[in-house]
Structures are given as structure tokens and as C-alpha cells.
Amino acid sequence: MTIPETNGLYPDFGPDLNVAEIGVVTGAAGPGRRLVVWLQGCAKRCPGCANGPYLPIRAARRVPVAEIAALLAATADCAGITLSGGEPLLQAAPLVPLLEMVRNRGLTTVCYTGYTQEELMGPVATGFLSLVDLLIDGEYRRELGRGGVYRPSSNQRLHFLSGRIRPADCEAVAETVMEIGGARATVTGTLPVALRRLLRDRLRERGITTGL
């Protein structure tokens, strides 16, 4: 298959991006301190997905690539960018200019996708993957145990595509990072379902919204 199809239902934001959330995470979204961009929309519905609110294929927040570039420049000690979702490959073409800028700055790109590397073919996917340093591929499968660092389920794989991120860079990291600011909480990583629900309910009791 080529870039995943959505039967024309995906909103056309190009050259801007359709973004669900942006935040800074250390350790749980790739090596080092990283700007994480969660893209809105995914054609898959993996049971137990931790990012439920980011799955609907709809217009969320229109963000110009230049705005994300400015956030990246303003993030102290930033190692690079991480793309999550939702499904980043649904916006592969408009993401390419951002990833080119990241590469030109000497920073790295990590990308999560629910598709396997073998499924991603064609010129758009090939161009996109040529700018990704670490690809984490495969659907989340709740019935499987963790596969190790950055892999919530054991079917998922780490692909070191460029040599700019190495296996040794991905050994001692936090599996889950939670940040609470004001009335909003973000969680990067995968918590057990029961713990996630308990945490969500306790936060909501205190007026704090979250994507859990």
C-alpha cells in the first residue's frame, strides 16, 4: 500500500498541519528533550489506544509549519521533534518541509505510526521516511505485553533509519511522562488501562482535563 487512504474524508489543511496537541517531553517520546507534535486523525481504531481524542478524522487546530519551527527553536536543550497522533503518515506531505528544517538544524526526528514500514511505499512515503531518524511502527495491541523502550506492545519495532539515533541512545529512559499545568494534563507513554482510568477520574474530580 502507499500512504494510508481515508476515502477523501481527511481535511485538507496543506501546507499547514492539523494538530491535536503540542508539548515538550523528556525521555518518553524519544531520546532527550523533544518537542512532541500529536497529529489529529487516525484511520485505525486499536482497542485501548491511549490517545482516543486524537483519533477522529476531523479538523482540530490549524498550525503553520513556521509556528512549529519557532516552538522548536524556543525549546531549550531540544534534541529534536517527535511525531505522534493520531497517525502522522496521514499528513506526510505537509510534514516534509518541517522535517527538512529539523534535519538542517542538526536535530533528529522520531515518528510513531500504526502502519508497518513495509506498508509505507510510494514517493511521498519514501521522501517522508528519508527524513525520519527513528521510526516506531505497528498497531498497538493491548493483549500483548510491552516490547521494550518506546514500544507499548511487543509487535512494534524500532527502525534506526539514519544512524543519527542509535540503539544505545534508547536504553535508559522513562516509559511514561505526565505533565500537569493549570487545568490541563498530558501523558506521554502507555499506562495500564485500570490505572489510566483511575488517574483520569481523579484528575477530572479536580477540574483537570486530560486525553487519558
Side-chain angles (χ1 to χ4, degrees), residues 17-211:
L17 298 171
N18 187 19
V19 173
E21 189 80 51
I22 301 176
V24 178
V25 175
T26 300
R33 181 174 170 84
R34 312 188 69 82
L35 184 73
V36 182
V37 181
W38 288 269
L39 286 307
Q40 181 70 43
C42 181
K44 295 179 178 288
R45 291 295 181 271
C46 301
C49 176
N51 293 347
Y54 306 158
L55 300 183
I57 297 176
R58 61 175 178 80
R61 173 186 167 196
R62 180 187 292 268
V63 180
V65 167
E67 182 177 327
I68 298 176
L71 289 172
L72 187 64
T75 302
D77 301 320
C78 190
I81 196 166
T82 294
L83 305 175
S84 187
E87 174 52 61
L89 269 297
L90 295 184
Q91 300 184 62
L95 278 167
V96 165
L98 175 63
L99 301 194
E100 289 176 337
M101 180 274 300
V102 172
R103 177 68 60 88
N104 290 338
R105 291 188 183 183
L107 304 177
T108 58
T109 294
V110 174
C111 179
Y112 285 85
T113 177
Y115 299 90
T116 65
Q117 184 183 28
E118 292 79 8
E119 291 179 296
L120 300 173
M121 300 180 294
V124 176
T126 299
F128 177 89
L129 293 176
S130 73
L131 296 165
V132 172
D133 300 296
L134 172 58
L135 182 73
I136 304 160
D137 75 345
E139 297 182 359
Y140 171 64
R141 295 180 58 183
R142 182 170 57 186
E143 71 275 14
L144 301 178
R146 288 192 63 87
V149 172
Y150 308 137
R151 288 167 288 173
S153 59
S154 60
N155 60 298
Q156 296 169 317
R157 302 174 297 176
L158 302 183
H159 299 278
F160 299 91
L161 301 181
S162 69
R164 300 173 76 242
I165 294 177
R166 301 165 300 168
D169 299 323
C170 304
E171 293 179 352
V173 299
E175 290 189 0
T176 302
V177 172
M178 181 173 185
E179 295 187 3
I180 300 176
R184 177 70 181 166
T186 59
V187 177
T188 303
T190 304
L191 296 170
V193 174
L195 178 57
R196 188 167 74 237
R197 289 174 178 167
L198 177 63
L199 184 58
R200 177 196 61 197
D201 293 344
R202 293 294 184 266
L203 289 171
R204 286 179 178 175
E205 288 173 2
R206 291 163 174 76
I208 299 172
T209 60
T210 177

